[in-house]
Every structure is written in structure tokens, then in C-alpha cells.
Amino acid sequence: MTYSLVINEVQLDKSFYKPGENVHLSVKLTAEVSQPAPINITAHITYLAETVQVIEQLSTLKKGVQEIQLSWTPPTTAPRGYGVELRFSSDTGEQLASASTAFDVLQRWTQAPRYGFLSDFQPGRTDITSTLASLNKYHLNALQFYDWMYRHDQFLTDQDPYQDPLGRTLSRRTVDALIASAHTYDMSAMAYTAVYAASLEFFRKHPDWALIGPDGNPLMFGDNFLAYMDPRPGSPWTLHLLDQFDQVLKQTGFDGIHLDQYGDPKVGYDKDGIPYRLDKPLADLIDATHQHVKALRPDGAVVFNAVTNWPIETVAPSDEDIVYIEVWPPYNWFSELGQLVVQAQNLGKGKAVVLAAYISPSLEHNVRLADAVIFSNGGGHIELGENNAMLADPYFPKYEQMSPELARVMQRYYDFAIRYENAIGPSTRDATADYRNRIELGGTSLNPSLVSDTVLPVVRQSAGQTAISLVNLLGLQSPDWKNPISEAPTSQGPTQVRITGVQAQARKVWVASPDGSDSSLHALEFNQSAGQIEFQLPGLAYWSMILIEWEK
């Protein structure tokens, strides 16, 4: 008997798993069979290069669409990322189909944040379940609910529906339904707020609460769209804002507060015209928000937007749960995305880092290379949301749809980042500087200071192993991650790699890439002598990762 099957979807029941939780996986497939036939399902659960569990299951294949369920309880170690390799074969051993996915075990989502967004809160929304299911394919474990509120100075209202300051019609019922649906996947729902924005109506009632500029007049945002309020500790505005946070957490299912700012002003003036810096007051506001959130949501989180990396030195060490940076000039180069992540990791004393770098999904090469740089440096990228959409603008409702091909690529890239979380993720250490000019590709030394028409090396160190990511910028005439790239970087075939200045003895060398259907680690033959390791890289499209395990 001849038959065939196509795997339509592989879906996990949660965005991540807490220690001790069961992992449930469902596979939807379509089969063409003349009569019911036996099928063997094998799932290899891997941690890096190690197979930690093999699940074998016998099922019956029927004609049409059907769903198969698998489950497993991973070890309680956290954070830890796993790969899942699925194989479907006939009773004679013929392989019919294969698929892969990944998951991780975390104590909290902030250990390895995969931050997404929601921005559509219109009344009567009917695609809530399908939207959250689509976001779970990328394992997003937290969502920023952008501009969900009634006003910047009054988040909740008895009206439903209501209009936001830009005239959009929103519904609290929709917001609540989206939060509830997110919670079914253990995605945290973060309430967007702005730290010093108030409506003109509110400002007119409290003119003495405003933030004053150098000319002695209150500061305004946009064309008199919003008024800036004084965010210093103990100010009437700060006390009002903290009370608003309390009301949100008491009356909704939100799990935390996302604090936004606009990057300017950086200095305010008191009534006597004496200037004061805003960096320390903003850090104090983060700490105060953290206290309020923890009082009402012990497992809740606080995120603050360091616009253009300001004021990163004061906010990264504060009580924010992750470091979040909205990227603007002068941070224009692909390499600078990685540098921002590493700097924030160091300033935040190991906190996970998320970048908001807005790239239209029409620029698919830009998206892939930016994510390769960010993910290989252990960072996250807020970019995915709604239904297969991607952020293309700082005003989140101006998102754009991904092509089916880019959506598949993003699934592979997010799977890859999770699967090798313990080699390149937030818990690892940057070691790129230690390998400066020590990595040669095809006889050419890779210098991390080169920014275009090169291969960018990113090195992460963890216990007993070193991960060397190679991000392909060959053929790119501009290093600017926003500058449209019309063609893929120049791909490389089999290429010799040499690493010099090696002191330890390598036990194994592997390579893996998210650029094809097989993202598993493949062992490479290598030679080590006279302080050098040499091996052949099979090829390089956008991103390949070399993993070296050292002898104990």
C-alpha cells in the first residue's frame, strides 16, 4: 500500500515551561491513504548535541486531516532550551515526513524574553483565539499591549467601547479577552504606559504638575498632542501615575507595567529656572513601579524603554526586570545592534536584553541579518505580533504583514535561539573581544570592527563550551540595518576555518544553522595542534553557529 502525509503544523501548548511542568505537543497532518494504516512516530528531545529522551509512539493514519499528541516532562533545570526532532515512518521503516520545534524551561519569562505586541483592541474582535495561537508558534512569552488605554493619565474608564486620544475605537472587553487568551499559553500581558504623558485636558486641570522647559513654559509633545508631566519622586504626577498602575493591576489581568518615554527631554527645570537631570528620576520611577507591581503581582514584571539607549547607565541597574532599548541613530550598523545588547547585559548585571529595532517585513534580508546579530549576542527583538505581523514603525498599529516565507524563516530563527539558548542565550557571556583577529575564514582574519562586506563573528562563552556565530554580511555595500538590502548576502560554500591562540583542548566541534530545514548540530572533523584548531565549515548563508566543547 502506498500513502503519503504532509505535516501542517507543530504546536506546543505553552510559550515556555516552568520547572516540573509537562510539555504537550500536537502535530496536525494531512494524509492520503486508501485505508487506515499504522504509522510510527519518533520524537528525539535534544539538549545541545545530547539526546536526552526518545519518545516512540504508534498511531493509525487515516485519510484527511488528523491530530497527534505527544507529551514529556523535562528536567527541572532552568533556564534550559531543548530541540524536538519529529520523524514519521511507515511500518516498513520508510520515512514519510519530518518536522522540528523547540521549547525551554524557565523560572520566569524574563530569563529568556521573547517579547511581542498587540495593538488591535476594537470591539467585537473575533480572531482572538487564532491570533494568540499564531503568536505561540514563535514561542512569544510576553506581549506588550500597546496603546490599549483610555487616556495616558487615566488608563481605565467605565465607557465601553471608548475612543483613545487618536480617535481609535477600543474595547475593554477585547483587552480582557486578549489577556485571557495570552494566559492560556503562559504569555505575560504587559500594560503599555508613558512615564510623563498627559492629555491637555488633564494638564489644564493640573498646570503646576507639568515638566518645565528652559524658557519657563510647560513642555508639549507633538503639535500640542500631549503635555509632559514632572516624573520626579514624590511629585504629584508620580503619585498619580503609581495610583493608576495600582488600579490597572487591581482591575485587570495585566501581569506588569511597560514604561515608555520619548527620549527627550533629558533635562527639566524647576520654577526658579534651575535645571535638573531626568536620568536618576526615571530610574527612581522604575524602582517605585517595581514595588507597586510586586505588591499586587508577586511574579509580575516592569519594563522601561531606554530610547536611543538613554539613560542606560542608570536604568539598566535599576529594578526593571529586563533591559529594553528602542534603537535609533546613531546606532545604525548591524554590528551596533550586538554591541547594544552586550553593553546592556553588562550594565544590567546579566539581565536579559530586548531591542526594539523597527524593520519592514518587506526587507526580508534585513530582518534575517538583524535577528541573527541580536539572537547570537543573547538578545531578544520585539518585532512579532498580531496575526503573523511585524513591527515596521514606532507607532505599533502601523505594523505590516509578513510573507509566508518570512513567517517560516522567523519560526526557524526563534526555534534556533531557544534550542541553543544555553550556548548563545542571555545566561551566556560575551567573549567576542577575546577572539578578536583569532578566527580565520578561508584564510582571511575576521575582524569584529569591520562592519560591511565581511563575516561578523559573535562569540559567547558558557560552562565548558564556546559558541562562535558567523553572520554573513558579505556583498553588503552598506552596514546600515535599515538600508534596504535587495539581494541575499553572498553565500559561501565549504570553507576552511582556523582559530588561533587556543589554550584548551577541544573535545568536539559542531555546526548548526537556522537557514535550512535541519537545524540540528552536526559533528565536524577537526585538527588541533600548536595552539590552533582547524575544520571545514560546510557553508554559510545568513547565520551559522560553531559549537566547541572543551575537555574538562
Side-chain angles (χ1 to χ4, degrees), residues 339-369:
Q339 292 164 12
L340 284 173
V341 171
V342 171
Q343 180 201 39
Q345 289 167 341
N346 293 333
L347 290 171
K349 297 180 172 56
K351 288 176 186 172
V353 179
V354 171
L355 300 188
Y358 309 116
I359 306 174
S360 168
S362 64
L363 305 177
E364 297 192 6
H365 305 306
N366 296 65
V367 170
R368 292 178 72 153
L369 291 171

Side-chain angles (χ1 to χ4, degrees), residues 198 200 203 210-211 217-228:
L200 293 188
F203 159 70
L211 189 62
N217 293 318
L219 292 169
M220 298 291 165
F221 177 76
D223 187 14
N224 287 336
F225 173 52
L226 297 168
Y228 286 93

Side-chain angles (χ1 to χ4, degrees), residues 144-155 165 190-199 202 211 221 225-231 237-242 244-245 248 256-264 282 285-286 289 303-305 307:
Q144 181 186 150
F145 281 57
Y146 180 90
D147 272 8
W148 65 278
M149 61 283 191
Y150 171 62
R151 295 289 183 270
H152 292 78
D153 47 74
Q154 181 188 337
F155 302 130
M190 299 292 290
Y192 173 92
T193 67
V195 295
Y196 41 35
S199 64
F202 185 90
L211 189 62
F221 177 76
F225 173 52
L226 297 168
Y228 286 93
M229 308 304 268
D230 183 353
W237 166 255
T238 296
L239 297 177
H240 169 81
L241 192 62
L242 292 171
Q244 286 291 302
F245 295 162
V248 167
I257 301 296
H258 180 103
L259 299 166
D260 193 18
Q261 53 128 348
Y262 303 144
D264 276 308
L282 291 176
L285 178 58
I286 294 170
T289 303
V303 178
F304 174 85
N305 183 7
V307 178

